[in-house]
Amino acid sequence: MCDVVSTPLDGMDGLVCDLDGVVYAGPKAIPGAVESLNEISDRLPVLFATNNASRPPDVVAGHLHDLGITTTTDRVVTSSTAGARVLADLLPAGTQVLAVGGIGVARALEDVGLQPVGAVDCTTSLPTAVLQGYGPDVTATDLATASFAVAAGARWVATNRDLTLPTERGPAPGNGALVAAVAIATGVEPESVGKPGPLMYQQAADLVDAQPRRMLGVGDRLETDIAGARAAGMKSAMVLTGVHGPLDLAVALRDMRPDFILNDLTDLLTPYEPVCRAGECEFTCGPARSGWTGNRLEFSGGGIERVRVVLAALWQARDQEMLDADAAREVMRSSVGLDELR
């Protein structure tokens, strides 16, 4: 027997959704995302949480609105707003904070009553706090000024530590790479508020007065979205429209394994076929089945159900130290069609 869930939203009081790779890819919506989110928002609060610190919530909400998604600015949590709230709880109103990053960092500080300053404002004195987020125009002077302030004892909050940023030309240095430069220069590590930490998810739940355990976090990256939702005590769902896919899931550590595996956001509204144990080493998911015969994994069925049952078998084998990472990936590669692999 196994637990039966009508949809992944069954029993949930709200949804916390990542953006890049989940709702949109670049400027365009991922197929089915707009219609699904609008239908869900008629039943449950839908919030958006992103590690992208460069855009203020109103700009993010505007982008979503342009795509056709019904939402408001107060339903968007960014790593900049999360970091600014942390500092606002520690500092008197009006305190000067060095804002490193895009306009989203400075705006977040202003919105909580703190005074953002730039490197040009710190030539004669240094601020007592630094909020560092990504911005395409961050300079060596910005990083040097942050280093001087941190070395002098300033409270240092990083919006996130994502090492890379996906672009149309390939991975580019992300905020984590810029944060690392300051850490190397100072020997100090910052407080990081973005995913995979739980803070953004907790703040999102607070916005709708809900308990995290009754919220569902949806994302496309295991080490940020899924790990962050789990750290906050939320159920988690991974969509296969973004960064990570079945090969990554095959080697996912326990704290990065989602509760639900979906093709895309439309699966939030359709009956979810759970994985059921059919024997000591056998699993079923709807018409799909997997099981170990010695060291060989046998499977049947197709689609997302086959991905789920193969993963159940691989995770069991990994937990029992029967397979290393390379072998797990190879089994997944042989069991899932190339069009399903990322």
Side-chain angles (χ1 to χ4, degrees):
M1 298 294 292
C2 58
D3 294 332
V4 177
V5 179
S6 58
T7 75
L9 295 172
D10 186 38
M12 296 293 102
D13 291 337
L15 176 70
V16 184
C17 194
D18 182 52
L19 292 170
D20 293 288
V22 178
V23 179
Y24 50 67
K28 296 183 179 180
I30 289 172
V34 173
E35 297 81 3
S36 298
L37 290 171
N38 284 341
E39 183 174 345
I40 293 168
S41 66
D42 288 338
R43 299 158 42 188
L44 297 171
V46 176
L47 299 107
F48 301 93
T50 175
N51 264 3
N52 188 330
S54 62
R55 299 197 300 173
D58 62 330
V59 175
V60 174
H63 181 191
L64 294 173
H65 185 267
D66 290 344
L67 294 176
I69 296 171
T70 302
T71 191
T72 54
T73 299
D74 61 356
R75 293 297 172 95
V76 177
V77 179
T78 74
S79 56
S80 285
T81 62
R85 289 172 187 163
V86 167
L87 289 174
D89 289 339
L90 300 170
L91 304 172
T95 298
Q96 291 189 340
V97 178
L98 177 62
V100 179
I103 185 61
V105 178
R107 285 274 299 278
L109 291 167
E110 290 174 346
D111 289 344
V112 295
L114 299 174
Q115 182 182 348
V117 296
V120 69
D121 304 308
C122 302
T123 55
T124 58
S125 63
L126 293 170
T128 57
V130 176
L131 181 59
Q132 182 175 358
Y134 178 78
D137 299 319
V138 171
T139 68
T141 299
D142 295 326
L143 299 179
T145 305
S147 299
F148 301 150
V150 170
R155 184 67 177 258
W156 181 25
V157 173
T159 60
N160 66 85
R161 300 198 71 167
D162 295 353
L163 291 175
T164 61
L165 180 72
T167 73
E168 293 180 353
R169 299 179 62 183
N175 193 53
L178 303 179
V179 166
V182 178
I184 291 170
T186 61
V188 178
E189 292 295 327
E191 177 181 358
S192 181
V193 298
K195 309 170 191 177
L199 183 62
M200 293 176 63
Y201 289 99
Q202 292 167 345
Q203 290 183 352
D206 288 344
L207 288 174
V208 293
D209 197 26
Q211 295 296 319
R213 62 183 175 82
R214 291 184 59 84
M215 301 284 285
L216 178 67
V218 182
D220 68 312
R221 296 182 69 130
L222 294 168
E223 82 282 2
T224 54
D225 305 322
I226 304 306
R230 287 175 59 94
M234 290 186 182
K235 292 284 188 178
S236 63
M238 179 173 159
V239 292
L240 303 182
T241 53
V243 173
H244 287 156
L247 291 181
D248 306 290
L249 281 161
V251 295
L253 301 177
R254 290 188 184 188
D255 61 354
M256 296 183 190
R257 295 174 186 171
D259 297 290
F260 304 99
I261 300 164
L262 315 175
N263 283 306
D264 52 42
L265 290 178
T266 63
D267 284 351
L268 289 172
L269 293 162
T270 59
Y272 188 87
E273 290 284 359
V275 173
C276 304
R277 186 183 290 274
E280 184 177 351
C281 300
E282 297 181 14
F283 302 89
T284 63
C285 180
R289 178 179 292 269
S290 70
W292 293 100
T293 302
N295 293 326
R296 177 182 176 81
L297 180 66
E298 297 181 349
F299 50 84
S300 61
I304 195 66
E305 290 83 10
R306 183 166 67 182
V307 173
R308 294 171 189 159
V309 292
V310 169
L311 280 172
L314 289 178
W315 287 345
Q316 179 191 56
R318 291 280 289 156
D319 291 345
Q320 295 177 357
E321 299 184 350
M322 293 170 53
L323 288 180
D324 62 18
D326 289 340
R329 288 192 188 94
E330 188 55 37
V331 171
M332 177 57 76
R333 191 185 304 278
S334 67
S335 64
V336 180
L338 291 177
D339 60 328
E340 296 171 302
L341 291 176
R342 293 184 181 86

